[in-house]
Amino acid sequence: METMAINYWAVLVATLLNLVVGGLWYSPMLFAKVWQRSAGISDEKLKNFNAAKVFGITLVVSWIICLNLAFFLAAPGTDWQWGMTAGFLAGFGWASMIFIVISLFEQRSLAYMLVHGGYITVYFTLAGLILGAWQ
């Protein structure tokens, strides 16, 4: 049986990238207002959330996502190009598509689906790039 080599430093960096990409994506510079409006979240409600809980769970879930993607990319010969492609395919083709299905049943707006689906796709693509490049 072949042993898979996982670079846990790359997994950690890709995990932390979720907070960076999310912080930028959902900031006023990009999609904060569209997201808040489409999700029905007021500025007041946004100020009153448990940051330790949200960021803590986000880091754990992001670590699981990146570790899972790292196992898919652990094959010899994986490079940044295949990592980025695989990340895009997983983010757009799997994660964003199932998110859209769920959103359709929740009767969410197209803006809601596009903001979140775009974030998912960008994050998975960048995580795949890091994991593929840093074998």
Side-chain angles (χ1 to χ4, degrees), residues 80-101:
W80 71 269
Q81 292 166 320
W82 171 237
M84 190 170 82
T85 301
F88 172 80
L89 293 172
F92 178 76
W94 289 333
S96 291
M97 293 301 116
I98 196 63
F99 176 79
I100 288 172
V101 169

Side-chain angles (χ1 to χ4, degrees), residues 5-16:
I6 301 296
N7 182 336
Y8 290 97
W9 287 109
V11 171
L12 176 63
V13 169
T15 297
L16 296 173

Side-chain angles (χ1 to χ4, degrees), residues 41-58:
I41 298 175
S42 66
D43 288 336
E44 189 60 37
K45 187 173 183 180
L46 198 56
K47 290 177 187 174
N48 295 320
F49 79 105
N50 184 337
K53 178 182 173 183
V54 171
F55 288 116
I57 293 171
T58 296

Side-chain angles (χ1 to χ4, degrees), residues 11-129:
V11 171
L12 176 63
V13 169
T15 297
L16 296 173
L17 181 68
N18 193 349
L19 295 178
V20 173
V21 172
L24 180 61
W25 195 265
Y26 295 99
S27 75
M29 271 181 16
L30 291 178
F31 303 108
K33 293 302 175 190
V34 175
W35 163 64
Q36 283 182 259
R37 190 171 42 257
S38 66
I41 298 175
S42 66
D43 288 336
E44 189 60 37
K45 187 173 183 180
L46 198 56
K47 290 177 187 174
N48 295 320
F49 79 105
N50 184 337
K53 178 182 173 183
V54 171
F55 288 116
I57 293 171
T58 296
L59 285 173
V60 170
V61 170
S62 298
W63 180 78
I64 293 168
I65 290 167
C66 292
L67 187 60
N68 182 56
L69 190 54
F71 276 105
F72 275 97
L73 294 173
T78 294
D79 60 6
W80 71 269
Q81 292 166 320
W82 171 237
M84 190 170 82
T85 301
F88 172 80
L89 293 172
F92 178 76
W94 289 333
S96 291
M97 293 301 116
I98 196 63
F99 176 79
I100 288 172
V101 169
I102 292 166
S103 298
L104 286 168
F105 279 93
E106 292 178 344
Q107 300 178 15
R108 299 292 188 155
S109 70
L110 179 60
Y112 181 87
M113 292 181 229
L114 291 175
V115 167
H116 291 308
Y119 165 72
I120 292 166
T121 301
V122 167
Y123 173 62
F124 271 71
T125 302
L126 293 175
L129 172 85

